[in-house]
Amino acid sequence: MDSQGLPGFRDLYPDEAALRSYILSVWRDVAERYGFEEYDGPPLEPLDLYTKKSGDEIVGQLYTFEDRGGRAVALRPEMTPTLARMVAARAQGLKKPIRWYSMPQLFRYERPQRGRLREHYQLNMDVIGEAGPLADAELIAAALDVMRAFGLGPRDVRVKISDRRVLRVLLIARGLEATQVDVALQHIDKSGRAPRDVLRDKLADALSISRDMADRVLAVGDVKGLDAMDAALTKGAKDANAGTDLHKCVAALTAMGLGEFVEVDFSIVRGLAYYTGIVFELFDAGGSLRAICGGGRYDGLLEALGSVNLPAVGFGMGDVVLAEILQTRAEPLVVRSRLDAFLVSVSSDDAPYVWGLAHRLRDLGLSVEFSLRTQPVAKQLKLAAAREAKHALIVGPDERQAEEVVVRHLATGEESRVGADEVLEPSFWTKQAEASPLL
Ligand code: HAM
């Protein structure tokens, strides 16, 4: 039997699983603070849910097969089409704007590399039914507040924002036909990942334009900042107001106190085909890792998948890059929950009493373990230490006789005899935690 798992799929040992749980709990916490409700969908979907609108890049990464009923199916590579289908199916009855979140596991057949695997968990937050740019700002703020909840500030992460409507207007002002814009956007999207001259040649060939023209087209992705955008829009653009929503969105983020995180950057296009307006990505400030989060406005997707015309905006944030950033931080994260008590039997006659005590302590909500075989006390205490238990509770014939328990703080070695009734009082454990908060 091959003892290795598949490439790009993770085995999570307890420390890694604890980090994942911590990430998911922070995601949930921030989403709930923003008043979002949780939803979920199936991990297996009809193939055409993705082939219709997600775009070639993600369709090329699908895990797809024919099920026993002859249906073409795919493991979900993203959540947005499922969300669009679910909302479209019940759009009438749902109070708008809809604010929903989900934390699905997703599957993409990508080349496994730093920050990109073949499965990942992704926080999705989406607002559906609001076309104004404050919805975009609210979602960018939520993504940034997730970063802040992990202790990451503007020195650690940045959000790069752009707008496909502005990109479209700028590209047409530089001489492209409307039908050529999508291909140009796909090439600008690759700006950071491929050398400029290679991209220029590919774009020139794809659109049958000159290399000079291709250079001018790719240069649209070099526009950075609102002032540069305004200046570019005044030069021959048909719609000089195309940047209004982006201005409003950035102003809202500044009013929320998040301005320091924000960079306007038109190299951000996003790989997915369905985006129609503001798009954004979060990166580590050093710029050495893949995107932490990506999202944007997709006003046409619900209509395409469910014939309901509702504007929508949202983002997806993966756990892979995030875990990498959190693991390299100076102060280690204490994410593993530790045992409150390890129960020790002095003799095998004490064991049934200890099992009963363990059960009652667990009923109180404490985390408790005891040895599953008869062992000398020293061995049991060794296991307690290896488990990083906060206390050992030791019970022998004398303690049982006196209806007492020996409570030992494992970090300090301090011991005291405590009445068995007292150990079963929640207030005893509150006092222990207060006396030595770091234990
Ligand atoms: P996406 O940019 O494809 O967008 O993915 C969003 C985030 O998911 C990425 O920034 C990254 O953190 C994570 N991610 C994506 N692929 C992988 C991978 N192979 N391994 C590890 N992490 C990955 C979407 O999926 C959109 N549906 C997001 C969205 C929601 N747009 C609107 N609402």
Side-chain angles (χ1 to χ4, degrees), residues 253-275:
L253 287 166
T254 307
M256 292 169 187
L258 298 168
E260 277 185 82
F261 286 94
V262 175
E263 290 174 14
V264 170
D265 182 334
F266 284 92
S267 68
I268 298 300
V269 175
R270 308 272 303 127
L272 291 156
Y274 46 67
Y275 293 111

Side-chain angles (χ1 to χ4, degrees), residues 138-317:
E138 174 88 329
L139 282 161
I140 295 170
L144 290 173
D145 275 346
V146 172
M147 297 296 112
R148 291 178 59 242
F150 284 118
L152 301 169
R155 285 174 169 209
D156 308 299
V157 286
R158 294 289 162 73
V159 60
K160 295 188 179 181
I161 313 180
S162 103
D163 191 324
R164 282 202 181 175
R165 290 164 294 194
V166 175
L167 282 162
R168 178 172 294 272
V169 166
L170 293 179
L171 289 169
I172 288 172
R174 289 181 192 208
L176 285 191
E177 302 291 330
T179 50
Q180 297 177 310
V181 167
D182 285 346
V183 172
L185 289 179
Q186 283 163 19
H187 286 74
I188 296 175
D189 180 50
K190 299 199 172 76
S191 311
R193 287 176 273 155
R196 175 64 74 98
D197 50 346
V198 174
L199 271 181
R200 180 203 50 200
D201 292 354
K202 280 194 176 164
L203 178 61
D205 291 348
L207 291 182
S208 306
I209 55 176
S210 70
R211 294 202 161 17
D212 272 1
M213 171 83 164
D215 265 331
R216 281 202 302 281
V217 165
L218 290 176
V220 168
D222 300 335
V223 175
K224 308 244 183 303
L226 288 173
D227 290 346
M229 172 187 82
D230 289 340
L233 281 172
T234 51
K235 279 192 223 137
K238 282 250 166 55
D239 180 2
N241 296 323
T244 308
D245 274 2
L246 192 54
H247 268 285
K248 286 186 182 163
C249 176
V250 172
L253 287 166
T254 307
M256 292 169 187
L258 298 168
E260 277 185 82
F261 286 94
V262 175
E263 290 174 14
V264 170
D265 182 334
F266 284 92
S267 68
I268 298 300
V269 175
R270 308 272 303 127
L272 291 156
Y274 46 67
Y275 293 111
T276 52
I278 287 178
V279 283
F280 56 92
E281 284 186 338
L282 260 65
F283 290 94
D284 62 301
S288 63
L289 302 171
R290 299 290 301 266
I292 305 167
C293 163
R297 182 162 279 288
Y298 50 100
D299 287 349
L301 190 62
L302 275 88
E303 190 159 33
L305 296 180
S307 318
V308 175
N309 186 7
L310 280 175
V313 52
F315 70 78
M317 179 187 295

Side-chain angles (χ1 to χ4, degrees), residues 58 77-81 83 106 108 110 115-122 124-126 270 272 274-275 281-282 291-296 298 313-321:
I58 214 160
E78 58 156 339
M79 199 61 177
T80 314
L83 169 68
L106 305 176
R108 298 183 188 182
E110 286 198 51
R116 289 291 177 270
L117 300 172
R118 289 182 174 166
E119 56 77 23
H120 70 283
Y121 280 80
Q122 198 187 78
N124 277 250
M125 290 179 70
D126 293 85
R270 308 272 303 127
L272 291 156
Y274 46 67
Y275 293 111
E281 284 186 338
L282 260 65
I292 305 167
C293 163
Y298 50 100
V313 52
F315 70 78
M317 179 187 295
D319 66 324
V320 180
V321 177

Side-chain angles (χ1 to χ4, degrees), residues 383-427:
L383 186 53
R387 294 285 200 256
E388 299 180 38
K390 296 174 199 164
H391 306 90
L393 267 50
I394 306 164
V395 180
D398 295 349
E399 285 76 27
R400 274 196 294 139
Q401 179 77 35
E403 294 186 12
E404 287 178 341
V405 170
V406 173
V407 177
R408 180 188 291 187
H409 281 262
L410 286 177
T412 61
E414 270 171 46
E415 266 188 17
S416 53
R417 295 180 86 82
V418 181
D421 285 353
E422 202 184 333
V423 169
L424 289 167
E425 287 296 327
S427 57

